[in-house]
């Protein structure tokens, strides 16, 4: 085992844990959910729910094969049609929960009492192992075969960490990996269509970038705000990041659009703002929008579903005052700190 220094070799050599293998693993997991859903004869929407997850999982499982056999253009068309069908199934409320073998409340309480705080060990292992592998396995290879995909080192490390957590959870609870995978169906079904919303919104962000939405925003800004009005440009950038994130559900999707439309032409090139603190505060403003939108389903809707809250928007309502306060602080900090004059 050795550290490879040559940058050219690091991008051309193969790896044991590649992004393609991770996608295959995700696809296999989703197809397992499809099979278990089809086996659930008492499921009220068995076929449509199974179709929903099959369409989602097929892009992970068969994407590369389809590109190799059918070509990229045909594959992209098929994926686009799948996305439309997924949206249609979710929109028509044809995806629902099934029937599961759940222990009684008394058994659950007794199990929780026996395990105590050990329950948190697998969850804590995920970030810790991810950081350890990301730091220690950067450019580590055996005979030019990397252990982890160097182009997606964090994602490969996260996958390893999840497998470690699964095995540790198996050891602590006395269950089995198969039981854990089976329970994932109940968990995913309780979240529903919102489970795939982050991926869908990330794809939408890519569409906005290709459509050069940033240029359109730049032209729109010049219609309403004078380019020399620094304070209003700062307000527009911060509020725009928050608002666009509320629409997109993801600050990473909003960032390139708003930065290309406002930050780059007006604040950095026009007013000489320091790029690093400017974009850092811009991203932070985007996260303020994350706190206030159901589109950020993995942060706001999924926790409400997992906690069985009666009001699925309760998390958002609690977070709004904090988000608005942080957004105002970001505007003040950006206006005060990022300009050199």
């Amino acid at each position: 085992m050795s550290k490879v220094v040559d940058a050219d070799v690091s991008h051309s050599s193969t790896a044991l844990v590649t992004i393609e293998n991770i996608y295959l693993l995700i696809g296999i997991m989703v197809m397992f959910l499809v099979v278990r859903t089809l086996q659930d004869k008492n499921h009220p929407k068995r076929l449509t729910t199974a179709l929903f997850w099959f369409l989602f999982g097929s892009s992970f499982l068969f994407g590369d094969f389809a590109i190799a056999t059918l070509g990229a253009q045909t594959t992209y068309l098929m994926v686009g049609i799948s996305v439309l069908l997924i949206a249609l199934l979710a929109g028509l409320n044809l995806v629902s929960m099934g029937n599961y073998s759940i222990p009684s409340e008394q058994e659950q309480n007794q199990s929780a009492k026996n395990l105590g705080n050990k329950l948190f060990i697998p969850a804590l292992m995920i970030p810790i192992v991810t950081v350890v592998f990301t730091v220690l396995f950067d450019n580590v290879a055996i005979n030019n075969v990397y252990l982890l995909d160097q182009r997606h080192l964090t994602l490969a490390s996260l996958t390893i960490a999840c497998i470690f957590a699964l095995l540790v959870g198996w050891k602590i609870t006395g269950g089995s990996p198969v039981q854990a995978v089976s329970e994932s169906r109940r968990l995913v079904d309780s979240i529903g269509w919102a489970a795939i919303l982050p991926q869908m919104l990330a794809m939408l962000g890519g569409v906005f970038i290709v459509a050069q939405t940033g240029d359109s925003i730049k032209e729109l800004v010049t219609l309403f705000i004078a380019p020399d009005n620094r304070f209003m440009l700062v307000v527009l950038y911060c509020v725009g990041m928050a608002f666009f994130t509320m629409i997109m559900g993801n600050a990473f999707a909003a960032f390139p659009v708003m930065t290309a439309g406002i930050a780059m032409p007006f604040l950095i090139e026009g007013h000489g703002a320091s790029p690093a603190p400017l974009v850092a505060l811009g991203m932070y403003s985007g996260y303020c929008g994350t706190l206030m939108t159901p589109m950020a389903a993995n942060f706001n809707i999924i926790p409400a579903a997992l906690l069985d809250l009666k009001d699925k928007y309760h998390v958002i309502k609690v977070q709004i005052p904090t988000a608005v306060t942080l957004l105002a602080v970001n505007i003040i900090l950006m206006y005060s700190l990022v300009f050199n004059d």
Side-chain angles (χ1 to χ4, degrees), residues 157-322:
S157 300
L158 175 62
T159 304
I160 297 294
C162 291
I163 294 174
F164 266 105
L166 180 65
L167 296 176
V168 171
W170 171 26
K171 181 69 176 177
I172 291 176
T173 61
S176 68
V178 175
Q179 183 182 1
V181 175
S182 297
E183 280 295 302
S184 68
R185 177 188 165 227
R186 180 174 62 84
L187 184 65
V188 170
D189 278 354
S190 65
I191 298 170
W193 59 265
I196 68 172
L197 193 55
Q199 187 189 16
M200 296 293 115
L201 292 173
M203 293 170 58
L204 186 60
V207 172
F208 275 119
I209 294 173
V210 173
Q212 299 182 331
T213 309
D215 293 340
S216 301
I217 291 178
K218 178 182 175 182
E219 294 175 3
L220 192 64
V221 169
T222 56
L223 295 176
F224 299 99
I225 296 178
D228 58 349
N229 191 336
R230 179 182 295 178
F231 179 73
M232 286 306 299
L233 289 172
V234 168
V235 172
L236 189 62
Y237 180 48
C238 292
V239 175
M241 274 296 299
F243 182 70
F244 211 65
T245 299
M246 292 173 69
I247 297 173
M248 302 288 290
N250 192 323
F252 285 101
F255 178 75
V257 176
M258 297 304 297
T259 301
I262 300 176
M264 283 292 293
F266 295 109
L267 295 175
I268 296 176
E269 296 176 1
H271 290 269
S274 180
L278 178 77
V279 297
L281 288 168
M283 278 296 291
Y284 200 22
S285 300
Y287 291 136
C288 296
T290 302
L291 297 173
M292 298 187 287
T293 175
M295 298 298 285
N298 48 334
F299 293 104
N300 301 328
I301 300 301
I302 291 176
L306 295 177
L307 295 172
D308 290 329
L309 298 181
K310 293 181 180 178
D311 182 1
K312 65 179 180 179
Y313 302 118
H314 184 73
V315 174
I316 297 173
K317 292 175 182 176
V318 172
Q319 292 175 159
I320 285 177
T322 302

Side-chain angles (χ1 to χ4, degrees), residues 16 47 52 139 155 168 172 222 227:
L16 295 178
L47 296 179
F52 177 89
N139 282 336
L155 187 57
V168 171
I172 291 176
T222 56

Side-chain angles (χ1 to χ4, degrees), residues 86-133:
I86 286 173
L88 190 64
L89 290 168
L92 295 176
N93 196 27
L94 295 175
V95 182
S96 69
M97 295 189 67
N99 298 281
Y100 318 94
S101 177
I102 302 176
S104 66
E105 185 174 347
Q106 183 180 2
E107 291 174 329
Q108 293 181 41
N109 291 335
Q110 185 61 44
S111 177
K113 185 178 179 180
N114 294 337
L115 294 172
N117 291 332
K118 292 180 181 177
L119 280 171
F120 296 103
I121 293 177
L124 291 174
M125 283 191 65
I126 294 176
I128 293 173
V129 175
T130 300
V131 171
V132 170
F133 270 71

